[in-house]
Amino acid sequence: MNSYTVPPSSPRTLEASFMWFKNLVFYRFTRPFDLEAEALATQLEQHRFGPCRAQELSRYGWTSPMAKLSEQLVHSGNGCLLICAQKEEKILPASVIRDFLNERVALIEAEQDRKVRKKEKDELKDEIIIDLLPKAFSRYQHTHAYIDPKLGLLVVDASSAKRAEELCSYLRQTLGSLPVSIPALNHAPTSIMTSWLREEQSMPTGFELGDESELKDPSENGATLRCKQQDLLGDEMRPHLDAGKMAVKLALDWRNSCRMILSEDLILRRLKFADTLLDQAADAGAADAAAAFDADFYLLTETLGKLIPELLEALGGENQEAYQSAITPS
């Protein structure tokens, strides 16, 4: 029985440990991605991350996926291209802005003996934000993603569609176009996941149910049932399924290699890899930090390069006609 771990930071994996994605949002290329690593890096270089200027609230750009190990904006390995987006946001708590605004409004009303109206308040608020920005702390966020040209996949380490779409949007802006879409399936994921709960023999080869799920009544304002440490094939689940609830989240174990929570939006969250896999990466990259990085990336892409196609097939397969219509002029 394999144990599963989210890789910790350690002296050996300080720079490389982030390579093991913790969440997945993946996209299908509707046209082949044909840029080589060097050509992709050249395009990214024009949008390399730079810190916020004095009056900017946020900045977004490309940075090295290898952190301090390299300045290169693209890391190539196992036929895949790894990139990383960096976002800086100035932290200005709404309560602080409100306190400054109230003080300034009170001062104006006292000195000029008049009421400050909404339009003027909005202008004062903008002035306060500009004044405070140079003194504000910054929050940084890194989002890693890799392109697998052979499988036609863009894989983003993100737990929300919004964060993944932010990276895709900036990559599209950088490259001029990015022909990707969420995989189009022949069947709704909820119907397939629900069938797995109804009949144990319906589970696809290589997958096993975990002990966590979320069921939802599809009707408006329908009830939601969240289960943890629960036998998902037990008698307690049957009445909820018979009442029409559908599985919208499901814990899965794939080939004793990784565990995940599959959601109806195809996002894989709380991804944990088997210790045996992490040990294999540690042995392969024992020489130095760069070797560790290469080993992690190779095993990550090798594992996900098998998991994602098997998962899509388990969910009923992709609708190829949908992709064809997406690239065929109307």
Side-chain angles (χ1 to χ4, degrees), residues 54-319:
Q55 307 304 327
E56 285 184 320
L57 277 168
S58 66
R59 265 294 185 96
Y60 201 88
W62 304 110
T63 191
S64 170
M66 297 184 72
K68 296 179 181 179
L69 292 177
S70 172
E71 289 294 317
Q72 294 181 354
L73 294 180
V74 178
H75 176 74
S76 179
N78 197 26
C80 299
L81 306 172
L82 179 69
I83 60 177
C84 180
Q86 179 170 325
K87 183 177 184 179
E88 178 187 3
E89 291 181 294
K90 290 294 184 69
I91 302 173
L92 283 177
S95 59
V96 173
I97 297 173
R98 184 171 58 250
D99 289 344
F100 273 87
L101 178 60
N102 290 339
E103 289 180 11
R104 195 167 297 185
V105 167
L107 182 62
I108 292 173
E109 291 181 343
E111 291 180 346
Q112 301 181 19
D113 192 26
R114 65 180 180 84
K115 188 73 173 175
V116 176
R117 304 296 179 185
K118 183 180 183 305
K119 182 179 179 181
E120 187 177 357
K121 282 185 179 181
D122 291 340
E123 293 172 351
L124 289 171
K125 182 179 178 181
D126 290 340
E127 292 175 5
I128 289 169
I129 291 174
I130 290 174
D131 290 342
L132 292 178
L133 272 175
K135 307 172 186 176
F137 290 103
S138 289
R139 175 172 55 199
Y140 295 91
Q141 179 186 82
H142 293 84
T143 304
H144 287 79
Y146 74 84
I147 297 165
D148 187 330
K150 185 176 179 180
L151 291 180
L153 293 172
L154 169 63
V155 183
V156 185
D157 183 3
S159 61
S160 70
K162 179 180 179 182
R163 182 170 172 180
E165 284 295 335
E166 187 175 35
L167 181 141
C168 287
S169 177
Y170 198 74
L171 185 57
R172 184 175 293 110
Q173 176 185 333
T174 300
L175 301 180
S177 67
L178 187 67
V180 297
S181 67
I182 295 295
L185 301 179
N186 290 315
H187 306 285
T190 52
S191 64
I192 301 296
M193 290 193 290
T194 303
S195 72
W196 294 345
L197 295 180
R198 286 188 173 278
E199 302 176 24
E200 184 174 4
Q201 60 269 29
S202 67
M203 284 300 298
T205 302
F207 290 89
E208 295 180 8
L209 289 174
D211 61 0
E212 186 173 341
S213 70
E214 182 175 316
L215 306 183
K216 189 172 183 180
D217 189 324
S219 62
E220 188 175 358
N221 300 320
T224 298
L225 174 71
R226 296 181 178 89
C227 304
K228 288 188 176 182
Q229 297 181 332
Q230 170 71 45
D231 179 2
L232 300 184
L233 296 173
D235 294 338
E236 298 93 335
M237 302 293 290
R238 179 61 57 179
H240 298 286
L241 296 170
D242 291 343
K245 289 188 178 68
M246 304 289 286
V248 295
K249 290 183 181 179
L250 207 55
L252 296 174
D253 187 317
W254 176 70
R255 297 193 181 279
N256 291 322
S257 292
C258 56
R259 288 178 178 170
M260 70 213 79
I261 303 294
L262 170 63
S263 301
E264 61 178 331
D265 54 10
L266 287 186
I267 296 178
L268 303 183
R269 295 179 173 89
R270 288 159 47 192
L271 191 62
K272 296 183 179 181
F273 295 90
D275 287 346
T276 52
L277 192 63
L278 301 180
D279 291 342
Q280 184 180 349
D283 292 339
D288 55 41
F293 193 98
D294 285 336
D296 283 355
F297 185 55
Y298 178 89
L299 284 174
L300 175 78
T301 54
E302 190 72 11
T303 302
L304 298 184
K306 296 174 182 176
L307 165 63
I308 294 174
E310 285 195 24
L311 177 62
L312 292 174
E313 189 62 30
L315 290 169
E318 297 179 78
N319 186 339

Side-chain angles (χ1 to χ4, degrees), residues 15-69:
E15 294 91 350
S17 62
F18 63 80
M19 280 305 314
W20 291 92
F21 288 16
K22 296 179 175 63
N23 305 279
L24 295 184
V25 182
F26 53 93
Y27 300 84
R28 172 66 71 196
F29 278 95
T30 56
R31 291 195 299 274
F33 185 86
D34 55 10
L35 283 180
E36 300 290 338
E38 185 176 348
L40 176 59
T42 298
Q43 301 235 35
L44 299 186
E45 185 63 44
Q46 299 175 37
H47 299 267
R48 183 183 281 270
F49 175 81
C52 284
R53 296 191 180 96
Q55 307 304 327
E56 285 184 320
L57 277 168
S58 66
R59 265 294 185 96
Y60 201 88
W62 304 110
T63 191
S64 170
M66 297 184 72
K68 296 179 181 179
L69 292 177

